[in-house]
Amino acid sequence: MRLSCAAALLAWAGTAAAQTPPPHASDSTGPTCWRGRPLAHCESFWITDFTYGTRLNAVEEPGGGKVKGDYLTWEFGGMVNQGPRHAFGAAMIKSFGHERSYFGVRPRYRRWLNSETSLDVSVGILVSGDHDRFRPRFPSFTTHVALSHGDLAGVIVGAEVIRGRPGGADLTWQAGVRFGSYAGPPAGVLIMLKILHDELGGGGT
């Protein structure tokens, strides 16, 4: 499941990266910006984030032992500044990793701490996906808190609850790094190329 998801997301990521403007264009002021900045610079801005995260609470494997696992998440959407300190918006999310893949929507609130540093809080709904250990039940839920600099890179912590049928749930605590704006698609492409290279056996070596 991981390899097929990586290939599909890599194709989408390549298209997004090709359409992403160069750094000087994303820094321009105006109604809508590629690199998120406060109201003095942008009325609204795009979300083109890529997150590489690691599970913090290990899960029991069927054959014994515990595994944490890694997760890759794409987000695409937009936000609107409401005053000099606040922004509101939402993003579609597509994520895959150890045991799971899913699609959902995350509304997002941003607090501008200064002109370059921001704190994001998001609570969202997962609407479809797969899980290796049970049949998932939707809607399931996701949340995160992220601290970013320049809307280009930052750190993120979060949790996901994937509900199962007929009952139970998989609660995942995660932490990782997030790349945004015009840094997001290229970072995602490079990381996913590395994953595909490793899963294909290092190019036959």
Side-chain angles (χ1 to χ4, degrees):
M1 180 180 73
R2 184 179 178 185
L3 181 57
S4 61
C5 289
L9 283 175
L10 182 57
W12 180 90
T15 302
Q19 296 176 345
T20 301
H24 68 273
S26 64
D27 287 339
S28 63
T29 61
T32 302
C33 302
W34 278 92
R35 185 168 74 95
R37 302 184 74 184
L39 187 59
H41 303 277
C42 304
E43 293 181 7
S44 59
F45 52 91
W46 293 101
I47 296 172
T48 56
D49 293 349
F50 177 83
T51 297
Y52 180 85
T54 298
R55 182 170 184 149
L56 300 178
N57 55 325
V59 61
E60 292 281 352
E61 289 286 276
K66 293 185 177 182
V67 176
K68 291 186 176 181
D70 297 331
Y71 300 92
L72 307 179
T73 303
W74 287 98
E75 296 186 64
F76 183 78
M79 302 193 75
V80 178
N81 282 311
Q82 299 289 334
R85 292 292 185 181
H86 309 283
F88 299 88
M92 299 181 296
I93 59 173
K94 176 61 181 177
S95 181
F96 74 96
H98 182 69
E99 296 191 317
R100 70 182 65 185
S101 68
Y102 60 75
F103 175 82
V105 178
R106 277 205 289 226
R108 185 187 296 189
Y109 164 74
R110 173 169 294 187
R111 168 74 175 183
W112 291 106
L113 303 180
N114 55 48
S115 62
E116 293 291 333
T117 307
S118 61
L119 181 69
D120 288 359
V121 180
S122 177
V123 178
I125 297 175
L126 308 179
V127 298
S128 65
D130 299 295
H131 200 289
D132 290 350
R133 285 191 288 117
F134 55 76
R135 182 183 175 191
R137 181 182 178 189
F138 297 100
S140 290
F141 307 99
T142 176
T143 183
H144 82 253
V145 177
L147 182 67
S148 300
H149 179 74
D151 203 35
L152 297 175
V155 294
I156 184 171
V157 294
E160 296 168 357
V161 179
I162 308 294
R163 300 190 298 160
R165 296 180 184 271
D170 181 13
L171 170 62
T172 303
W173 294 98
Q174 300 178 17
V177 293
R178 186 174 77 183
F179 303 93
S181 183
Y182 52 82
V189 169
L190 291 174
I191 292 173
M192 291 170 64
L193 282 173
K194 177 63 166 60
I195 291 173
L196 288 172
H197 179 271
D198 292 345
E199 293 200 358
L200 291 173
T205 57

